[in-house]
């Protein structure tokens, strides 16, 4: 959500319940073909769909994610016993690897979580593997539930070329923002106050390192975690509008600017000064944040999806803050958006049942369950009652950056090949195999060619 989210997420009104039922022949495995669905043909009373088997692939595997999914699935089954859910849960990386092949097969899942970016959702749309949800959105009033600022993260033109406009292809449950988790105990032991500015943050890195601690924890074997670290630094050097153009793959921006090179140079400097844990480029993501939860390092740059697990492991010791700006009162800028949206596959024999499932797991009641299980709901955020210092930090940070329209997209959204390009480029940069100039030129080559043709 990169445009005017203050009118959206905070004020979004989630709708639970069912919209008026429009006649459609009940029965299993015989819903109207998705391509022919219209708002008036959508069967919104899932109890009248007959016996249906619905296969759902998700990546909700971590503590709070898994807990909310189980609760919602149990509640859906209790309300609609005629619809049997078969849930297949995989890690983000495993899902990304297997989903492309599954969608091209003869019996793909009915509902899948697909990464919003061009390399995943954009490619699936281009291949006609996902159902346009617009008829269902009208039937269920999803435009009242999620504003355009949220929906744009799941919108593509039918040819998959334009991101952020066109048909709706997914419904997210959670909001996300990348910030800085920190150990209050480690900061206090070092005599360091919570940084209020970017200079103070960098000064604290030097202080913590001087006391013998590598202050930043990173596990970058999968390559994508460093994208979040770079994005955090880039937000201190590069205007938000430029980052949005780069992230959405729209022409008019450039990677080879002094601002982007300065961000890359900062990461190179951090490596040279020993601010990261040893061997970070060869360490898995999960063991890295788990090590942080057990006392390794002081800072972890990561997304709010880790909050539930870190809170359980660290209790009141862990805090969360937005990346500080150049001044204490600077407008916040942070990488973020929505969690992976849930989509309906084109070959699903039960699109109406699948749409009913999407409606259920994104309802107002679902937002309450997401909050209670430690997640950050993308709708009705301001209406939620939160407890615990970390959850309050997370909700306050998300509300602040949303209100300021300071969320900028994940950089790997930009082109179909950008996830591999920027992941490899960052590994080389952090590993001392590429200079900031070479890093920027490598990204410009990918972004420039694509945006000129498609942006």
């Amino acid at each position: 959500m990169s445009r005017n989210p203050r009118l959206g997420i905070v004020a979004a009104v989630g709708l639970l319940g069912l919209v008026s039922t429009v006649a459609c022949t009940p029965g299993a495995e015989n819903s109207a073909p998705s391509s022919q669905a219209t708002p008036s043909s959508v069967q919104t009373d899932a109890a009248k769909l007959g016996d249906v088997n619905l296969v759902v692939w998700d990546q909700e595997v971590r503590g709070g994610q898994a807990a909310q999914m189980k609760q919602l699935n149990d509640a859906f089954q209790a309300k609609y016993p005629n619809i049997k859910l078969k849930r297949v849960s995989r890690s983000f990386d495993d899902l990304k690897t297997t989903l492309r092949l599954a969608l091209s097969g003869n019996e793909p899942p009915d509902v899948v979580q697909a990464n919003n970016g061009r390399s995943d959702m954009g490619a699936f749309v281009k291949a006609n593997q996902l159902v346009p949800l617009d008829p269902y959105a009208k039937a269920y009033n999803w435009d009242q539930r999620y504003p355009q600022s949220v929906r744009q993260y799941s919108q593509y033109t039918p040819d998959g070329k334009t991101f952020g406009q066109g048909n709706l292809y997914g419904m997210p449950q959670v909001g996300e923002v990348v910030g800085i988790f920190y150990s209050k105990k480690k900061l206090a032991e070092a005599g360091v106050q919570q940084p209020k500015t970017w200079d103070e943050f960098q000064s604290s890195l030097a202080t913590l390192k001087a006391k013998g601690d590598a202050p930043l924890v990173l596990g970058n074997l999968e390559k994508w975690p460093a994208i979040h670290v770079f994005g955090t630094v880039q937000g201190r050097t590069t205007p938000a509008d430029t980052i949005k153009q780069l992230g959405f793959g729209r022409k008019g921006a450039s990677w080879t600017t002094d601002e982007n090179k300065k961000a890359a140079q900062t990461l190179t400097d951090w490596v040279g000064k020993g601010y990261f844990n040893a061997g970070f480029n060869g360490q898995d993501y999960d063991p890295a944040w788990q090590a942080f939860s057990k006392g390794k390092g002081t800072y972890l740059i990561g997304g709010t999806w880790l909050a539930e697990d870190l809170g359980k492991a660290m209790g009141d010791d862990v805090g969360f803050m937005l990346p500080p700006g150049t001044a204490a009162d600077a407008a916040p800028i942070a990488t973020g958006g929505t969690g992976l949206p849930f989509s309906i596959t084109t070959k699903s024999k039960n699109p109406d049942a699948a749409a009913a499932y999407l409606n259920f797991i994104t309802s107002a009641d679902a937002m309450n369950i997401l909050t209670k299980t430690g997640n950050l709901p993308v709708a009705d955020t301001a209406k939620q009652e939160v407890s615990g210092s970390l959850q309050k930090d997370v909700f306050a940070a998300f509300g602040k950056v949303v209100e300021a329209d300071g969320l900028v997209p994940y950089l790997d959204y930009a082109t179909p090949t950008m996830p591999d390009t920027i992941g490899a480029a960052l590994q080389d940069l952090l590993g001392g195999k590429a200079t900031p100039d070479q890093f920027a030129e490598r990204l410009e080559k990918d972004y420039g060619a694509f945006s000129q043709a498609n942006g």
Side-chain angles (χ1 to χ4, degrees):
M1 45 218 122
S2 62
R3 296 289 186 272
N4 197 23
R6 73 181 65 185
L7 298 176
I9 297 167
V10 174
V13 179
L15 293 179
L16 176 70
L18 304 175
V19 182
S20 59
T21 300
V22 181
C24 181
T25 304
E29 318 292 340
N30 63 351
S31 298
S34 58
S35 60
Q36 299 176 14
T38 65
S40 61
S41 70
V42 173
Q43 173 56 277
T44 58
D45 187 348
K48 295 182 178 179
L49 290 172
D51 293 333
V52 173
N53 293 315
L54 205 62
V55 180
V56 179
W57 281 21
D58 67 58
Q59 54 95 54
E60 307 295 309
V61 296
R62 294 194 173 92
Q65 296 173 324
Q68 64 90 6
M69 206 76 260
K70 184 177 186 310
Q71 285 191 38
L72 288 174
N73 283 352
D74 288 348
F76 183 81
Q77 292 274 229
K79 186 170 184 178
Y80 302 113
N82 57 308
I83 300 177
K84 304 298 183 186
L85 295 177
K86 181 181 179 182
R87 181 188 178 202
V88 178
S89 188
R90 304 173 186 272
S91 70
F92 172 82
D93 291 302
D94 287 346
L95 182 69
K96 185 176 178 66
T97 301
T98 56
L99 188 54
R100 190 178 304 276
L101 182 61
L103 291 181
S104 63
N106 292 326
E107 295 184 355
D110 297 280
V111 175
V112 299
Q113 265 187 297
N115 197 358
N116 317 54
R118 291 182 184 273
S119 64
D120 295 284
M121 181 174 280
F124 301 152
V125 169
K126 183 178 181 180
N128 193 32
Q129 292 171 330
L130 299 181
V131 172
L133 299 180
D134 302 80
Y136 303 101
K138 290 180 180 178
Y140 285 106
N141 286 340
W142 289 341
D143 59 338
Q144 299 293 316
R145 179 174 300 173
Y146 291 170
Q148 176 59 23
S149 56
V150 170
R151 298 196 305 271
Q152 70 171 349
Y153 274 74
S154 300
Q155 284 184 306
Y156 281 91
T157 51
D159 58 9
K161 287 187 175 181
T162 303
F163 187 9
Q165 299 173 8
N167 295 328
L168 180 70
Y169 288 96
M171 290 284 285
Q173 288 183 299
V174 298
E176 295 178 349
V177 59
V178 175
I180 304 172
F181 293 96
Y182 60 94
S183 167
K184 300 173 185 176
K185 179 181 177 182
K186 299 289 277 296
L187 284 181
E189 289 175 348
V192 174
Q193 299 293 317
Q194 180 185 334
K196 303 298 183 186
T197 68
W198 190 242
D199 283 347
E200 289 181 6
F201 177 69
Q202 296 210 73
S203 177
S204 74
L205 295 176
T207 300
L208 291 161
K209 179 59 182 177
K211 293 182 178 295
D213 186 24
L216 286 167
V217 177
L218 173 65
N220 193 42
L221 179 63
E222 297 88 345
K223 301 181 181 178
W224 57 262
I227 299 173
H228 301 163
V229 179
F230 177 80
T232 294
V233 178
Q234 184 192 36
R236 304 324 103 195
T237 67
T238 308
D241 285 345
T242 299
I243 299 173
K244 290 173 183 178
Q245 283 182 287
L246 292 171
F248 281 120
R250 297 169 181 163
K251 61 184 177 183
S254 172
W255 272 102
T256 56
T257 62
D258 290 343
E259 291 88 354
N260 287 320
K261 292 178 183 177
K262 183 179 180 181
Q265 183 63 56
T266 297
L267 286 192
T268 299
D269 292 344
W270 285 2
V271 174
K273 293 175 181 177
Y275 290 169
F276 290 107
N277 49 297
F280 59 86
N281 253 350
Q283 184 173 17
D284 283 308
Y285 178 72
D286 285 340
W289 67 256
Q290 289 163 358
F292 170 75
S293 75
K294 297 174 182 175
K296 188 178 185 64
T298 302
Y299 295 120
L300 174 72
I301 296 177
T304 45
W305 54 86
L306 292 174
E308 173 69 4
D309 290 318
L310 291 176
K312 283 185 177 179
M314 300 175 70
D316 290 337
D317 180 33
V318 62
F320 179 83
M321 62 179 174
L322 292 172
T326 53
D329 59 352
I333 299 174
T335 302
T338 74
L340 267 63
F342 287 79
S343 300
I344 301 174
T345 61
T346 305
K347 293 180 182 177
S348 172
K349 297 177 182 176
N350 307 290
D352 281 2
Y357 177 73
L358 264 58
N359 184 60
F360 190 88
I361 65 172
T362 59
S363 66
D365 281 359
M367 296 298 121
N368 290 334
I369 289 175
L370 285 161
T371 300
K372 291 176 181 176
T373 49
N375 298 281
L376 179 61
V378 73
D380 293 343
T381 310
K383 297 180 180 178
Q384 307 302 318
E385 293 184 7
V386 298
S387 60
S389 59
L390 180 59
Q391 193 176 33
K392 289 179 180 176
D393 284 353
V394 166
F395 276 59
F398 187 68
K400 183 178 179 180
V401 72
V402 165
E403 184 178 3
D405 195 15
L407 280 178
V408 293
Y410 296 98
L411 296 167
D412 57 335
Y413 282 177
T415 78
T417 52
M418 187 58 79
D420 291 335
T421 299
I422 191 171
L426 279 168
Q427 272 221 328
D428 286 350
L429 178 73
L430 292 167
K433 298 179 180 178
T435 66
D437 281 350
Q438 291 169 331
F439 167 80
E441 289 165 4
R442 190 171 179 178
L443 297 184
E444 178 66 18
K445 183 178 180 181
D446 189 324
Y447 160 81
F450 181 84
S451 63
Q452 285 301 317
N454 296 277

